[in-house]
Amino acid sequence: MNIRYFVLAALASAAFSCASPKPEGTLGAGSELDRKVEDLLSRMTLQEKIGQMNQISAGGEVAPYAAAIREGKVGSILNEVDPVRLNEFQRIAVEQSRLGIPILVGRDIIHGYRTLFPIPLGIAATFDPELARTGAALAAAEARPGGIHWTFSPMLDIARDPRWGRIAEGSGEDPYLDACMAEAFVRGYQGERPGSSSLAACIKHFAGYGAAEGGRDYAGTQIPERLLRNVYLPPFEAAVKAGAMTLMTSFNENDGLPSTGNAPLVRGILREEWGFDGLVVTDWNSMGEMIAHGFTPDRKEAARQALEAGVDMDMMTFGFLSHLEELLKERKVRMADIDEAVRHILKVKYMLGLFDSPYVDPAAAESALYTEDALSAARRTVAESAILLKNEGALPLKGVRTLLVTGPMADSPHDQLGTWSFDGEKDRTVTPLRALREQFDGNVLYVPGLKYTREVRTSFPEVLEAARKADAVLAFVGEEAILSGEAHSLADLNLIGSQSDLLKALKATGKPVVAVVMAGRPLTIERDLPSCDAMLYSFHPGTMGGPGLADLLLGKTSPSGKTPVTFLRTVGQVPMYYNHNMSGRPYQNEKLLDEIGLEAGQTSLGNTSYYLDYGASPLFPFGFGLSYTNFAFSDITLDRDCYGKDDVIRVSYTLSNTGQAEATEVVQVYVRDLVGSVVRPVKELKAFERVTLAPGERKALSIEIPVSRLSFYGRNGERTVEPGGFLLWVAGDSATGEPVPFEVR
Ligand code: GLC
């Protein structure tokens, strides 16, 4: 018996487990299912068990993989989406292999399948988990009839660095918003009870991947355990509690331990402490990459470490397939661990109904795509996700007879879809140009000015000529899809190419200029704000980006999106996020560069935490977004001024629409724990809700927050609510509002 394993598991459970003995499994499958799994497991050979733990990428053709499938060496495939070929794959597995175990088919369905919704960062900007759940359910309704069973989504990586291209794929910087979105995606994909119309969710990338050093993808992370538990793990824990069926380990090493071989993290926290009994899959060759990390000398040791860590399935390293039998003979791995891995895999296959109905009807698959429900939900998500950052009366467009549409993103059907859009079809994309031509009851001029976002030009004569004939200008700028997503980090976050010059030239015409930014990340757009009278920010909006944005621009509905990440003034401010710990020397409005006299004394500026050139504030804080009206908060009161740890805080407030348009406010509740056994953040989001009011309407409302939501991992490694003083805000973003005090005893 490998004594090291026991020591590690004991350390893991001691060092990381804060809970009592292993809780019940999280999949909640039930005895009949367990009986089926045990029965099948008992009939499997060692080779067949190991075959189930092997996942291969198999797209475009069947023949090269037929023999391996027939021999029971493939438990799952990814990257095949053709229903006819998927039926062929299944027929080999079900009718030609000894035990007829169906193949689990995975795909990256990240923000819709064929009907593409905004990228996840855009979905987060809606602060509308119910809409996110609807979108995920519609993605399942499109993909499952085509023979896809498993999506490698939702991505739950907290991201505080916009240089990291994969900030596009997650729900931003806040653990509570991310956790709400995580639960919504899981419930949407899987349904309340996973079955033959579900997609198994795959929560990823476990864990801490978004803290890649320098925002450089695949770089290492340095996240101490307390920060990991208080910031990076809560979305995963929420998703596990919501019944997520699978999880993916991340590429990064954290403090020297690659996640795929990190037993304290996967076996210790995920399995032992949270009781997760779903399927754990590696990321693409992340098992093999432990060799490149210098963490294991070879693939055999990588396979051993991965199994020991709690991994069930190997994506594209072939490490389990090649070495587990030998490792077992050498008594370096336990048969019990192999059996446990295969149980997790078989349980997912049974829960998804694969044994009962492994085949699909290609005709039904086709008719499941681009339904009116999907297209209208995508359009609504676009409208709710766009963030109005500036508006000096230019929006919504009124009294405009001739509109100039310009910019490289105005009619870019591929780039509008954003990253992770393998299965989107650009000819189904409705661009802003097409939508405006259909929806605007005036004359639309179209002169792009730039063919693509990286293009460099020194002048735009044809655009300016057209602007002279127009009453207003809509300039669609931003990032091509390739500029964000996996492995696509940027060190400069300004609008790329000559887009800022285009905006400046348009501003000089004196016509009202509305900039619409489509990007995969929060860009540093401060220098562009003076060039436009209004700016609408749309994280790559997907298939229905045009109609959704036109609904906002033409005033059919008001923007309500809020920033799910902090927008910086310059990339030099990275990392800057709202829920930072309080410094011992917080900024006190000290002088900035252009206010500092010559020969200023060494200590004349005061010693606090800020940049001499860029101060201490971002361009737009977390949770920020304007609408076509104004909202006012008043009468903010708590039902008590002191609470016990098992109580529920009931905060009441009045919201007023003081403007002329119906609009929706995302009401946000933040809390600060004034003193803790460890330093606490200056504030943390603890609740939010969308409230729609007519012009002039006032509404008395209330939100409840269980005191337990204020718990955190303190100095003793336990998660508790520590007694003491707190402050609470109810506001429309993370930077405004007056705090209300309360106590927890
Ligand atoms: C990629 C990504 C992961 C994705 C997987 C399969 O490298 O890191 O998010 O699900 O491989 O495509």
Side-chain angles (χ1 to χ4, degrees):
M1 184 56 61
N2 181 331
I3 188 66
R4 182 166 179 274
Y5 164 77
F6 269 107
V7 168
L8 203 58
L11 283 176
S13 60
F16 287 86
S17 170
C18 303
S20 53
K22 178 176 172 182
E24 275 306 300
T26 54
L27 291 198
S31 57
E32 173 55 19
L33 176 59
D34 290 344
R35 188 195 58 72
K36 286 179 183 174
V37 168
E38 293 309 318
D39 169 60
L40 178 51
L41 189 69
S42 68
R43 292 182 280 120
M44 296 173 74
T45 65
L46 171 62
Q47 291 72 22
E48 287 164 336
K49 290 176 182 178
I50 293 171
Q52 286 299 306
M53 300 165 71
N54 185 42
Q55 179 184 55
I56 64 173
S57 181
E61 49 184 340
V62 176
Y65 314 101
I69 293 170
R70 199 172 294 119
E71 292 158 19
K73 292 180 177 174
V74 179
S76 173
I77 65 173
L78 72 152
N79 294 335
E80 177 55 77
V81 295
D82 177 72
V84 173
R85 281 197 293 270
L86 285 174
N87 278 339
E88 287 177 45
F89 277 117
Q90 294 294 10
R91 195 156 288 110
I92 295 168
V94 172
E95 299 173 21
Q96 299 174 25
S97 76
R98 189 178 78 87
L99 290 171
I101 301 173
I103 290 170
L104 181 62
V105 178
R107 183 66 169 176
D108 289 287
I109 297 171
I110 308 299
H111 52 108
Y113 177 49
R114 295 289 187 200
T115 303
L116 289 171
F117 284 66
I119 57 174
L121 194 58
I123 296 173
T126 67
F127 281 70
D128 189 343
E130 180 50 28
L131 189 56
R133 189 199 60 75
T134 301
L138 287 161
E142 284 198 337
R144 186 67 198 267
I148 296 169
H149 314 121
W150 184 18
T151 177
F152 304 121
S153 169
M155 191 263 232
L156 305 183
D157 301 309
I158 292 288
R160 294 170 158 178
D161 187 337
R163 295 173 296 181
W164 188 52
R166 301 195 79 165
I167 194 170
E169 298 172 49
S171 295
E173 72 189 39
D174 181 74
Y176 181 70
L177 175 62
D178 198 345
C180 294
M181 288 295 167
E183 181 176 346
F185 273 98
V186 169
R187 296 193 188 290
Y189 289 136
Q190 298 183 173
E192 287 315 313
R193 278 186 61 79
S196 56
S197 58
S198 306
L199 286 181
C202 183
I203 54 180
K204 68 184 187 182
H205 305 81
F206 196 66
Y209 182 36
E213 197 165 59
R216 292 182 298 279
D217 205 2
Y218 315 120
T221 58
Q222 292 297 329
I223 310 170
E225 186 216 338
R226 185 170 19 254
L227 182 65
L228 194 72
R229 285 179 174 279
N230 284 330
V231 172
Y232 292 90
L233 295 187
F236 286 94
E237 193 171 7
V240 165
K241 284 182 179 156
M245 296 172 75
T246 79
L247 172 141
M248 182 185 288
T249 57
S250 59
F251 286 127
N252 61 297
E253 51 86 7
N254 185 50
D255 193 18
L257 289 181
S259 299
T260 305
N262 188 335
L265 176 70
V266 182
R267 193 171 292 281
I269 295 180
L270 177 72
R271 297 279 194 203
E272 294 302 318
E273 191 179 318
W274 295 353
F276 181 70
D277 60 349
L279 187 165
V280 172
V281 65
T282 72
D283 202 337
W284 185 288
N285 188 38
S286 64
M287 180 193 293
E289 287 179 11
M290 290 199 277
I291 303 164
H293 277 297
F295 186 69
T296 65
D298 53 36
R299 189 173 61 172
K300 178 177 173 185
E301 175 59 9
R304 190 194 69 73
Q305 294 244 26
L307 184 69
E308 182 174 89
V311 168
D312 301 318
M313 186 178 276
D314 158 16
M315 181 191 287
M316 286 303 285
T317 296
F318 302 92
F320 285 162
L321 194 69
S322 309
H323 301 292
L324 275 190
E325 190 166 355
E326 182 187 2
L327 285 164
L328 189 65
K329 283 195 186 98
E330 295 168 359
R331 302 171 67 77
K332 290 179 179 172
V333 296
R334 305 186 317 151
M335 188 66 224
D337 288 340
I338 292 172
D339 283 341
E340 191 64 8
V342 178
R343 278 192 189 92
H344 296 148
I345 295 165
L346 295 179
K347 190 183 290 187
V348 167
K349 293 187 175 185
Y350 273 112
M351 290 175 77
L352 290 171
L354 298 196
F355 288 88
D356 299 331
S357 49
Y359 306 121
V360 292
D361 169 5
E366 189 60 29
S367 62
L369 306 178
Y370 299 112
T371 62
E372 191 41 47
D373 282 354
L375 295 171
S376 59
R379 177 173 183 164
R380 185 180 146 213
T381 308
V382 172
E384 286 196 16
S385 74
I387 305 162
L388 186 59
L389 296 176
K390 175 182 180 181
N391 187 21
E392 290 173 352
L395 286 179
L397 295 171
K398 296 283 186 212
V400 173
R401 291 186 311 282
T402 300
L403 186 60
L404 170 60
V405 172
T406 184
M409 295 299 285
D411 193 37
S412 180
H414 167 82
D415 291 310
Q416 174 177 320
L417 299 180
T419 190
W420 289 109
S421 302
F422 290 131
D423 301 311
E425 295 167 304
K426 60 182 263 189
D427 58 354
R428 298 298 297 252
T429 302
V430 185
T431 65
L433 175 66
R434 184 178 139 197
L436 288 161
R437 280 178 168 157
E438 290 167 1
Q439 294 174 233
F440 175 62
D441 61 0
N443 180 24
V444 175
L445 306 177
Y446 174 55
V447 183
L450 292 165
K451 289 187 289 295
Y452 57 100
T453 63
R454 285 168 289 157
E455 186 181 2
V456 175
R457 279 185 58 171
T458 53
S459 64
F460 310 92
E462 79 285 7
V463 179
L464 303 185
E465 176 56 33
R468 274 188 273 282
K469 301 171 193 157
D471 305 314
V473 180
L474 289 181
F476 294 85
V477 295
E479 289 181 313
E480 294 150 73
I482 190 66
L483 298 177
S484 63
E486 182 170 354
H488 301 159
S489 302
L490 287 173
D492 182 339
L493 301 180
N494 291 325
L495 275 180
I496 203 163
S498 301
Q499 299 180 97
S500 293
D501 296 334
L502 172 62
L503 292 175
K504 276 190 196 135
L506 289 166
K507 179 64 181 174
T509 66
K511 299 294 174 73
V513 176
V514 175
V516 181
V517 184
M518 289 190 203
R521 56 163 49 87
L523 296 169
T524 46
I525 39 89
E526 182 173 32
R527 69 177 187 178
D528 303 302
L529 289 172
S531 302
C532 53
D533 301 280
M535 181 179 280
L536 194 60
Y537 209 95
S538 173
F539 294 110
H540 287 126
T543 306
M544 297 299 279
L549 289 171
D551 289 343
L552 298 174
L553 294 166
L554 301 177
K556 183 179 169 191
T557 184
S558 164
S560 59
K562 298 284 186 176
T563 52
V565 284
T566 299
F567 275 60
L568 306 181
R569 298 184 58 199
T570 175
V571 71
Q573 289 183 309
V574 172
M576 184 178 273
Y577 45 92
Y578 91 94
N579 49 354
H580 62 82
N581 285 357
M582 175 54 93
S583 158
R585 294 190 177 187
Y587 178 56
Q588 304 288 342
N589 294 314
E590 277 77 10
K591 288 180 183 169
L592 299 182
L593 217 50
D594 51 8
E595 302 164 305
I596 301 170
L598 298 179
E599 297 184 13
Q602 164 74 25
T603 58
S604 64
L605 300 181
N607 298 317
T608 63
S609 179
Y610 75 112
Y611 299 101
L612 291 180
D613 48 1
Y614 277 86
S617 299
L619 181 62
F620 298 108
F622 173 84
F624 174 84
L626 303 173
S627 71
Y628 290 154
T629 192
N630 291 305
F631 288 103
F633 290 85
S634 58
D635 317 320
I636 298 171
T637 58
L638 301 179
D639 60 334
R640 295 159 60 173
D641 53 20
C642 186
Y643 297 89
K645 293 181 182 179
D646 300 326
D647 289 340
V648 173
I649 300 166
R650 182 182 177 82
V651 52
S652 303
Y653 67 95
T654 300
L655 184 66
S656 306
N657 177 339
T658 59
Q660 308 304 317
E662 176 178 285
T664 299
E665 175 63 295
V666 176
V667 176
Q668 300 154 53
V669 181
Y670 293 91
V671 173
R672 181 183 173 185
D673 188 345
L674 290 171
V675 178
S677 61
V678 292
V679 174
R680 306 290 297 121
V682 292
K683 60 172 59 171
E684 297 175 287
L685 182 70
K686 293 299 178 185
F688 58 86
E689 62 179 6
R690 291 171 58 88
V691 180
T692 301
L693 296 182
E697 186 180 0
R698 282 169 58 89
K699 206 169 206 178
L701 297 153
S702 65
I703 292 179
E704 295 191 340
I705 299 171
V707 171
S708 58
R709 199 176 289 171
L710 309 182
S711 65
F712 67 98
Y713 286 89
R715 196 168 337 164
N716 62 5
E718 296 289 330
R719 176 162 59 190
T720 60
V721 177
E722 295 185 1
F726 291 78
L727 297 177
L728 180 142
W729 291 260
V730 181
D733 62 52
S734 62
T736 55
E738 290 304 317
V740 176
F742 68 91
E743 295 278 328
V744 170
R745 61 174 181 285

